[in-house]
Amino acid sequence: MAGVKVFDEQVVLDKAMNLFWLKGYNATSAQDLVDELGISRSSLYNTFGDKHSLFVKALKQYRKEWINPTIESADTIVDAEEYFKILFDFVKKETFDLNNTKGCFWVNTAIEMSPADSEVTAIAKTIMEDTENAFYKAIKKGQEQGVFTTEHTAQSLAKFVLNVISGLRVNVKLDIDGKKFDDMINICLSVLKA
């Protein structure tokens, strides 16, 4: 029947997210999207709009699936040190167990598209600010619990942790090994400790 969608939009959006995550915006062609998503060009445009609109939706989907759980869990922290250990373990597991050399989608996006694309830059900046705020809450809690240093403000330490994680995610794309990864994580944790 004409006009009836025969595909799951969420599945297609996840495929688009992974393709953009792997190749970036500029290196992903409309034909790459058609081939990877398994839908016609007309279905792609009718459902998601142009390539840029699809990219924006994919970046928002990435935030929902990959970033929001970390942000939301900061509101219910019991053990601040454990929060960061779990976070770093997750980043390491995702990187090495899944052989993921894609890095971080929002970091990749910020590097590729800022400041040329104001809409995408605003989304990436919001992800960064919200993640940093989650880290701030966790570090503040750790300072109140006496497990994290008060030599630096919680805000400064949150920026530091975010930059360490972002840097690791960039380095992974350049073939960082597990030992170097662990060294950086251990240094980061030692900076936090009281």
Side-chain angles (χ1 to χ4, degrees):
M1 187 187 308
V4 175
K5 290 180 187 171
V6 292
F7 58 89
D8 183 326
E9 283 186 39
Q10 190 58 55
V11 170
V12 170
L13 185 56
D14 281 339
K15 287 181 180 180
M17 177 185 70
N18 283 304
L19 182 61
F20 283 128
W21 189 350
L22 178 65
K23 294 184 77 169
Y25 178 78
N26 292 312
T28 302
S29 68
Q31 190 59 49
D32 290 335
L33 289 165
V34 168
D35 293 344
E36 181 69 24
L37 306 183
I39 62 175
S40 70
R41 198 174 292 246
S42 62
S43 291
L44 174 66
Y45 292 128
N46 288 337
T47 304
F48 299 104
D50 60 11
K51 175 179 146 180
H52 186 269
S53 297
L54 177 58
F55 185 84
V56 167
K57 289 175 183 167
L59 185 56
K60 289 178 178 179
Q61 181 65 20
Y62 173 83
R63 179 194 168 119
K64 179 181 171 187
E65 288 183 19
W66 293 86
I67 303 295
N68 284 354
T70 298
I71 292 170
E72 292 163 3
S73 64
D75 291 326
T76 57
I77 293 171
V78 175
D79 183 330
E81 188 174 11
E82 188 66 16
Y83 172 85
F84 285 104
K85 286 181 179 178
I86 290 169
L87 174 66
F88 290 138
D89 284 346
F90 169 78
V91 171
K92 183 178 181 184
K93 186 176 187 63
E94 178 203 18
T95 300
F96 294 103
D97 292 359
L98 302 178
N99 196 25
N100 177 9
T101 57
K102 296 184 295 191
C104 173
F105 187 25
W106 78 264
V107 171
N108 297 347
T109 297
I111 292 168
E112 179 184 10
M113 302 192 62
S114 295
D117 186 315
S118 60
E119 181 180 11
V120 170
T121 299
I123 295 167
K125 186 175 181 187
T126 300
I127 291 171
M128 180 186 72
E129 289 169 347
D130 292 348
T131 303
E132 184 181 307
N133 188 51
F135 293 171
Y136 165 80
K137 290 178 188 176
I139 291 166
K140 190 73 173 159
K141 178 99 171 184
Q143 288 175 329
E144 291 165 0
Q145 294 172 339
V147 296
F148 289 161
T149 183
T150 55
E151 185 178 338
H152 304 285
T153 67
Q155 196 67 58
S156 295
L157 289 169
K159 285 182 187 305
F160 170 74
V161 172
L162 181 64
N163 279 290
V164 168
I165 292 173
S166 298
L168 284 168
R169 301 308 296 256
V170 171
N171 279 304
V172 161
K173 295 170 70 76
L174 302 173
D175 197 29
I176 190 172
D177 65 41
K179 180 174 180 347
K180 290 177 186 171
F181 192 96
D182 287 343
D183 287 347
M184 293 307 300
I185 294 305
N186 289 333
I187 291 168
C188 185
L189 287 170
S190 73
V191 169
L192 290 176
K193 293 287 284 181

